[in-house]
Amino acid sequence: MAKKQTSEFSRMPVVQFFKNLFLNNRFFYAMFGIIVLFVLSFIFPSLLALSKFLLFVFAVLVLVDVFVLFGTKRGIEASRELPEKFSNGDENTIAVNLVNGYSLKMYCSVIDELPMQFQQRNFNKRVIISGGKKEQLNYKVRPVERGEYTFGLLHVYTSSKIGFAMRRFSFGESQMVKTYPSFLQLKKYDLISLNQSSLQFGIKKIRRIGNSFEFEQIKDYVQGDNIKDINWKATAKRNQLMVNQFQDEKSQQVYSIIDKGRVMKMPFENLSLLDYAINAALVISSVVVRKQDKAGIFSFSKKPENFVVAERRNAQMNLIQESLYNVTTDYSESDFGNLYGHIKRKITTRSLLLLYTNFGSLDAVHRQMNYLRAINKSHMLVVVFFKNTELESLKTQEAKNTQEIFDKTIAEKFSYDKKLIVAELNKFGIQTILTEPQNLTIDTINKYLEIKAKGVL
């Protein structure tokens, strides 16, 4: 066996050998200590013999360490397991499988060449693997941009218990993973009907109001049924009380409209407001389809784009996800006039329109009010816009000097303007959602369920 290892060692190219050989800090600490002893031996000659002996032992240990690391060709084997796609804004798990081909316990330092979007230059995971054993190392990444993420090589730096030297193993080729809107939230908010478990996410049970329900069947009257729903003809035939049973109206159209103008580029926890809106639109579309309604989506800035007609088919969510994949802001002023014209031409049936935008001032709302009112005449419009969480936190801080007083006053003014925007839109019958970015998905789902329960669509 030793002869075989020697032959493997001898056949290794010199350039490759030195390219993959690295020295640990322990090597330099030991070398520094020996040098100090040699210097002291000029003052204390009795230390010279000890210094030479330690240098000899050190050299032997280094050679043994290098031979152990490079004496076998197989060494460490590693592979990276990537998911089929990343979920934007969520923690995604990546697995690294390691196999120790040595007969000794090895100390490994795993360095993965992460995509440039993560801007992480200090990635280093340490793991100890027994001889001949396998080990799986898991780590998480959180993408904050949609698009393509390219991984480079996977490097494993291996050292023995001696720890003076390291051998580098490099594996794999460039691997690309596409990052889509947050599909992991679809599982989190997988709502077929409201139940107690959904309350922990902040989803509210809302009492049904009104009579906008479809007839389902005639059933026997039981205590608690509405006497107004008694079917007198069926009662006369059966000679017992019978009532009509209703269910929520189905096949209603719900469109998510995403403003991709420059106002949606504002960041929050590394994600832009546009990405929050896209993630929420994907989740609400899934909820709508599961509620037997029709989900559609499109985006707009200068002109409407990525239009997906509201349908209830099985492939609808895939179409919506692909439509949202490449939506990016173009930093232009959003044209609400073009939006109104597009809705007038394309959406002829009364629908629920969830408009994701971000009005910064009351003047901005007044400039678009005529278009919003015109849309709301033919459809039910819900304007979704955002609180500035930085300003909200600034309001609660204690002002200690004149500058901080000015800053706090301005923050309170902007916060108050947001409330005025809500009041102005409500005055013309336009419903609103003013929410923090992290609560956008929950608040949008609750508004949709509220509208369905009240039967006002």
Side-chain angles (χ1 to χ4, degrees), residues 24-86:
N24 264 327
N25 291 336
R26 187 180 297 181
F27 173 90
F28 296 101
Y29 295 151
M31 179 65 76
F32 178 76
I34 293 173
I35 292 173
V36 170
L37 285 176
F38 271 104
V39 173
L40 291 176
S41 66
F42 285 97
I43 303 173
F44 307 101
S46 59
L47 293 177
L48 181 60
L50 175 62
S51 302
K52 291 180 177 180
F53 174 75
L54 291 177
L55 178 61
F56 174 77
V57 172
F58 173 70
V60 170
L61 289 176
V62 171
L63 291 175
V64 170
D65 198 13
V66 171
F67 182 80
V68 168
L69 292 174
F70 290 86
T72 176
K73 185 177 181 179
R74 184 184 176 190
I76 297 293
E77 295 181 357
S79 62
R80 181 200 301 121
E81 290 184 9
L82 294 175
E84 183 180 352
K85 53 190 176 182
F86 283 154

Side-chain angles (χ1 to χ4, degrees), residues 427-446:
K427 183 172 70 175
F428 294 102
I430 301 173
Q431 299 202 42
T432 59
I433 300 175
L434 176 59
T435 181
E436 297 176 352
Q438 69 268 29
N439 297 328
L440 173 61
T441 301
I442 287 294
D443 291 341
T444 306
I445 292 175
N446 282 335

Side-chain angles (χ1 to χ4, degrees), residues 401-417:
N401 52 51
T402 304
Q403 182 61 48
E404 291 181 356
I405 292 173
F406 288 153
D407 293 341
K408 187 172 181 178
T409 303
I410 293 173
E412 289 177 349
K413 179 186 180 301
F414 277 107
S415 179
Y416 182 66
D417 283 348

Side-chain angles (χ1 to χ4, degrees), residues 80-95:
R80 181 200 301 121
E81 290 184 9
L82 294 175
E84 183 180 352
K85 53 190 176 182
F86 283 154
S87 178
N88 193 30
D90 298 318
E91 297 287 348
N92 297 265
T93 302
I94 297 175

Side-chain angles (χ1 to χ4, degrees), residues 22 37 57 89 102 126 184 218 259 320 323 335:
F22 293 83
L37 285 176
V57 172
Y102 293 99
R126 300 183 183 277
L184 292 182
I218 300 174
D259 183 355
I320 291 175
S323 174
D335 191 336

